[in-house]
Amino acid sequence: MFDTLIIGGGAAGLSCALVLGSAKDKAYAKDKRIGIITHQKTSHLQTALFNNVLGLEPRTLGKDILESGKNQLRNLYPHIDQIEKEKVKSVIKTTEGFIVETNKNSYISIIVVVAVGYTSLITIKGLENYIEPHPRAAIEKDRIWLKNTDHLVEENLYVAGTLAGWRSQFSIASGSGAHVATDILTLWNDGKHTKVHDKHS
């Protein structure tokens, strides 16, 4: 049983996991079990080249960020379960939370964050009722979003990144994942607005 399970190992999913992981010493988060299914094969970062992102060296490759992001998460926050080489097939709501079925296993989580790409090729069963044409993409691109209000699709089901209706820009997707993480931390912190910053002393 996970308290939060993130689906997707791209910019939004990894950013969400990093922010959640950074709250590990907070009373409201220290006993929470967090997982991320780090499927990255269809991530748009696989072919990306970055010159216009604050903090990244020019000519940084997206595929390198994907790998270094998983390593960063593993090294800084090893308490977060990274589930690799599994692809999600369905997300089904039950009275106990969500059952997330992959091609290899089944997981139960109270909260699910869907942070996969926004192509119409999405094949996750259980999300069909929320899929609509993407509001910020050209019609001919055939992009989709999961209809949501401020990243919340329905109670305990969040969406982050381009699938949340945002434009395909690395910093926007990363920020969207961080936004969802702070919403979850706020939920765990009894509704008190919550953010996590590390400070240099």
Side-chain angles (χ1 to χ4, degrees):
M1 168 72 87
F2 287 98
D3 292 284
T4 294
L5 184 59
I6 302 160
I7 300 169
L14 286 170
S15 293
C16 185
L18 285 164
V19 174
L20 288 176
S22 70
K24 64 183 172 44
D25 295 327
K26 305 290 184 184
Y28 55 80
K30 67 179 181 180
D31 295 323
K32 301 295 187 188
R33 185 164 181 210
I34 303 161
I36 178 169
I37 298 172
T38 58
H39 189 269
Q40 298 178 324
K41 285 186 179 174
T42 57
S43 172
H44 284 111
L45 290 185
Q46 293 286 5
T47 56
L49 168 69
F50 294 109
N51 291 315
N52 64 352
V53 179
L54 180 66
L56 289 184
E57 283 290 324
R59 304 205 57 78
T60 295
L61 298 178
K63 66 184 180 69
D64 294 336
I65 291 173
L66 290 172
E67 203 53 44
S68 65
K70 289 193 296 185
N71 290 334
Q72 180 181 357
L73 184 62
R74 187 177 298 111
N75 293 334
L76 289 175
Y77 311 118
H79 64 288
I80 293 187
D81 293 316
Q82 287 195 48
I83 302 164
E84 299 196 63
K85 299 181 179 169
E86 294 188 31
K87 186 169 182 181
V88 174
K89 297 294 188 185
S90 65
V91 176
I92 307 299
K93 188 173 186 177
T94 71
T95 54
E96 297 171 6
F98 294 89
I99 297 173
V100 177
E101 296 271 358
T102 74
N103 57 326
K104 296 181 180 177
N105 292 297
S106 179
Y107 306 95
I108 298 174
S109 186
I110 296 168
I111 294 171
V112 168
V113 179
V114 183
V116 298
Y118 66 156
T119 70
S120 60
L121 300 174
I122 188 170
T123 56
I124 301 174
K125 290 187 174 132
L127 301 179
E128 301 93 337
N129 292 339
Y130 310 112
I131 293 175
E132 293 186 355
H134 197 284
R136 292 183 178 92
I139 294 290
E140 61 271 15
K141 295 271 189 182
D142 196 24
R143 303 299 191 213
I144 60 166
W145 76 315
L146 294 189
K147 189 173 180 183
N148 67 88
T149 302
D150 203 21
H151 293 97
L152 189 64
V153 177
E154 66 165 271
E155 186 179 13
N156 292 332
L157 180 62
Y158 292 86
V159 60
T162 54
L163 193 62
W166 302 115
R167 291 186 182 91
S168 178
Q169 199 77 26
F170 176 77
S171 53
I172 295 173
S174 295
S176 174
H179 182 147
V180 170
T182 59
D183 283 350
I184 292 168
L185 294 176
T186 296
L187 186 67
W188 289 346
N189 197 20
D190 296 323
K192 295 175 190 147
H193 287 290
T194 304
K195 56 194 178 297
V196 184
H197 295 300
D198 297 320
K199 294 189 179 176
H200 185 272
S201 53

